[in-house]
């Protein structure tokens, strides 16, 4: 580990996927970097464990793809939809390895293990990693100021630039005056399990029945991350005593093979977490003089789409390319990043709204809507275009899939 400089080129606040991957890329490019992480050790944080094929390509460009494979990444090759709107003979597997040549299917992995390996790679390249950094303060300006506290005392750094990568809490964004326009459609919950030995290990699944939308993402060797999305009115259902048991029991569904027995008999292997599924769009550029936000801190789509990590990798790659190819680090230099991200987030937010309305609304009318949309998709493959957002980058999805006309046609209640 190198000695921390008094004035590093870059301070990155947040040692998650976006921050740690940026640190790896910047030190490889010859810049001095201090990476601040509030945890004293990386731990299971439940979300952020699925990387789309287009996100894998970004990881390769950043030079951190080995961290995923070494950290336990598991390729998922097929996608199954089991749903109360789907009859048993209609269930079919979608091959997820065919969307981006040379990449393969999406990866599922333990988030904290990959973060730890990225941090180690950054340190090996010359970065200074500070764990257990508390009360981090950032003041924007031509020479921004970063203050933080560790068990050893108070510290101050004056880098050339700060990257804020603290996630959905928007810790740095709030300090530099970046505000978010937030909206919430439903609640979500997630938990790691093991002993899922009767579940096909290269198959991820999703579907809706009753008042839950479920997801199963295998991580290999009988481990999987389970997710549920459910109505706001039920936000307390999985809290308190017995919450874990109620969460697992929710997978006892008629639409699943053997009524979900492979899942309901799994063994909890991590904390159960529940959260409001919030979409956050920045009201203005996600930056200030001397500070640039990346990852979820710069804005995010609803978690139901599963593209948060891919966006984090794209953010890190674009911002690092600007820092490594130009001596101009003023706000105007990041205009290409701001423009691309605004375009990307607009498309992802639109796609997430369609997925939420289609799969995370409940009751007889919502069930009939899913049945009608499935009939439409069976007749016209173009109606499935929004589903490409899980696999390929937003700019590679046909433009017509983001029009109000398309949404109206998809959800029109009469055929």
């Amino acid at each position: 580990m190198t000695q921390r400089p008094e004035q590093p080129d870059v301070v990155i606040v947040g040692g998650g996927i976006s921050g740690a991957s940026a640190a790896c890329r910047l030190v490889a490019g010859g810049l001095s970097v201090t990476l601040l992480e509030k945890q004293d050790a990386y731990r299971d944080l439940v979300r952020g464990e699925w990387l789309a094929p287009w996100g894998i390509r970004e990881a390769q460009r950043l030079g951190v793809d080995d961290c995923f494979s070494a950290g336990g990444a598991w390729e998922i090759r097929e996608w199954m939809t089991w749903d109360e709107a789907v009859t048993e003979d209609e269930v079919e597997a979608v091959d997820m390895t065919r969307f981006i040549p040379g990449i393969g299917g999406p990866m599922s992995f333990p988030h904290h293990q990959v973060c730890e390996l990225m941090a180690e790679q950054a340190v090996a390249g010359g970065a200074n990693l500070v764990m257990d950094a508390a009360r981090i303060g950032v003041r924007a300006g031509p020479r921004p100021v970063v203050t933080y506290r560790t068990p050893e005392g108070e510290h101050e750094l004056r880098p050339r630039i700060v990257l804020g990568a603290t996630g959905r809490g928007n810790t740095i964004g709030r300090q530099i005056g970046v505000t978010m326009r937030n909206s919430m459609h439903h609640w979500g919950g997630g938990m790691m399990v093991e002993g899922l030995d009767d579940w096909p290990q290269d198959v991820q699944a999703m579907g809706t029945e009753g008042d839950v939308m479920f997801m199963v993402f295998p991580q290999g060797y009988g481990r999987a991350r389970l997710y549920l999305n459910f109505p706001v009115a039920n936000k307390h259902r999985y809290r308190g005593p017995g919450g874990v048991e109620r969460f697992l029991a929710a997978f006892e569904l008629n639409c699943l093979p053997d009524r979900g027995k492979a899942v309901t008999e799994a063994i909890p292997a991590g904390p159960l977490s529940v959260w409001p599924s919030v979409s956050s769009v920045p009201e203005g550029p996600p930056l200030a003089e001397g500070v640039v936000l990346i990852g979820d801190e710069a804005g995010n789509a609803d978690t139901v789409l599963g593209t948060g990590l891919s966006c984090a990798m794209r953010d890190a790659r674009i911002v690092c390319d600007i820092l490594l190819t130009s001596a101009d680090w003023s706000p105007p230099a990041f205009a290409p990043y701001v423009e691309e991200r605004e375009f990307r987030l607009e498309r992802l937010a639109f796609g997430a709204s369609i997925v939420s309305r289609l799969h995370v609304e409940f009751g007889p009318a919502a069930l009939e809507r899913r049945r009608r949309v499935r009939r439409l998709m069976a007749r016209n493959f173009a109606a499935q275009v929004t589903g490409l957002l899980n696999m390929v980058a937003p700019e590679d999805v046909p433009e017509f899939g983001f029009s109000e006309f398309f949404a109206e046609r998809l959800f029109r209640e009469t055929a």
Side-chain angles (χ1 to χ4, degrees):
M1 184 180 299
T2 60
Q3 191 70 24
R4 181 169 66 250
E6 290 295 327
Q7 296 184 325
D9 294 317
V10 184
V11 168
I12 302 174
V13 183
I17 293 290
S18 56
S21 63
C24 291
R25 179 72 183 92
L26 293 175
V27 294
L31 296 180
S32 58
V33 175
T34 293
L35 178 62
L36 304 179
E37 169 55 41
K38 68 179 181 180
Q39 300 179 89
D40 60 358
Y42 287 105
R43 297 179 179 84
D44 182 4
L45 297 179
V46 178
R47 285 179 290 176
E49 295 188 323
W50 189 89
L51 191 64
W54 67 275
I56 297 173
R57 185 167 57 186
E58 295 293 348
Q60 292 173 346
R61 291 169 173 169
L62 283 161
V64 296
D65 47 308
D66 285 348
C67 295
F68 288 94
S69 55
W74 187 264
E75 183 186 21
I76 301 178
R77 303 182 64 81
E78 294 184 338
W79 180 340
M80 305 286 288
T81 298
W82 282 292
D83 191 287
E84 62 186 351
V86 181
T87 63
E88 185 174 349
D89 60 344
E90 291 177 321
V91 176
E92 58 184 9
V94 176
D95 179 4
M96 296 195 293
T97 68
R98 60 184 172 84
F99 290 95
I100 301 182
I103 296 294
M107 295 190 301
S108 183
F109 51 89
H111 183 110
H112 57 296
Q113 292 180 197
V114 172
C115 287
E116 185 173 359
L117 289 171
M118 283 188 185
E120 290 177 2
Q121 178 177 322
V123 169
N128 179 49
L129 171 64
V130 180
M131 302 293 291
D132 201 16
R135 297 181 61 180
I136 299 173
V138 173
R139 186 168 72 246
R143 193 85 193 194
V145 178
V146 180
T147 58
Y148 63 96
R149 173 182 291 178
T150 66
E152 289 73 37
E154 302 284 345
H155 307 269
E156 179 178 294
L157 297 172
R158 294 178 176 267
R160 292 179 60 194
I161 199 165
V162 177
L163 301 187
T166 65
R168 291 174 178 266
N170 200 227
T171 303
I172 305 307
R174 284 184 280 108
Q175 294 184 44
I176 64 171
V178 174
T179 59
M180 294 287 174
R181 183 173 68 255
N182 298 318
S183 60
M184 183 182 67
H185 182 269
H186 55 272
W187 275 62
M191 183 174 66
M192 177 65 70
V193 296
E194 57 188 19
L196 208 72
D197 301 319
D198 293 332
W199 186 275
Q201 290 297 291
D202 59 352
V203 174
Q204 72 176 41
M206 63 171 284
T208 304
E209 182 175 313
D211 62 357
V212 295
M213 182 264 203
F214 70 89
M215 298 176 176
V216 180
F217 296 104
Q219 293 190 4
Y221 309 103
R223 292 176 64 87
R225 180 70 72 182
L226 307 180
Y227 291 102
L228 291 176
N229 293 299
F230 47 92
V232 174
N234 297 341
K235 65 181 182 179
H236 298 298
R237 176 182 290 176
Y238 305 109
R239 295 179 180 274
V244 169
E245 291 75 15
R246 291 191 295 274
F247 184 87
L248 286 174
F251 285 83
E252 186 176 331
L253 301 168
N254 291 322
C255 65
L256 281 172
D258 200 18
R259 289 183 52 82
K261 184 177 179 181
V263 181
T264 59
E265 295 185 355
I267 303 167
L272 169 62
S273 179
V274 296
W275 57 83
S277 194
V278 175
S279 173
S280 298
V281 178
E283 298 179 314
L287 52 78
E289 188 173 23
V291 184
V292 178
L293 308 181
I294 61 175
D296 281 342
E297 181 144 32
N300 52 80
D302 191 313
T303 56
V304 73
L305 198 58
T307 54
L309 284 188
S310 298
C311 277
M313 308 300 287
R314 171 72 65 87
D315 289 351
R317 194 260 301 172
I318 294 177
V319 169
C320 287
D321 284 351
I322 293 171
L323 294 175
L324 292 171
T325 57
S326 173
D328 180 8
W329 292 2
S330 66
F334 295 93
Y337 166 63
V338 174
E339 293 168 6
E340 188 280 337
R341 197 180 204 284
E342 183 178 1
F343 167 85
R344 177 174 17 122
L345 185 56
E346 182 179 7
R347 286 198 160 193
L348 292 174
F350 186 90
S353 70
I354 288 181
V355 173
S356 293
R357 186 176 176 191
L358 186 58
H359 296 287
V360 201
E361 292 186 2
F362 312 99
L367 171 58
E368 180 52 36
R369 181 192 303 139
R370 290 200 305 282
R371 286 175 175 157
R372 193 197 65 77
V373 170
R374 283 189 60 82
R375 291 194 297 268
L376 176 62
M377 289 180 173
R379 293 196 306 268
N380 185 356
F381 180 77
Q384 303 180 33
V385 64
T386 308
L388 291 173
L389 283 171
N390 290 113
M391 297 293 114
V392 304
E395 66 271 16
D396 294 329
V397 178
E399 185 175 358
F400 73 83
F402 303 97
S403 68
E404 291 301 329
F405 173 79
F406 172 78
E408 188 276 334
R409 179 68 184 89
L410 195 65
F411 290 114
R412 196 164 60 196
E413 296 301 337
T414 56

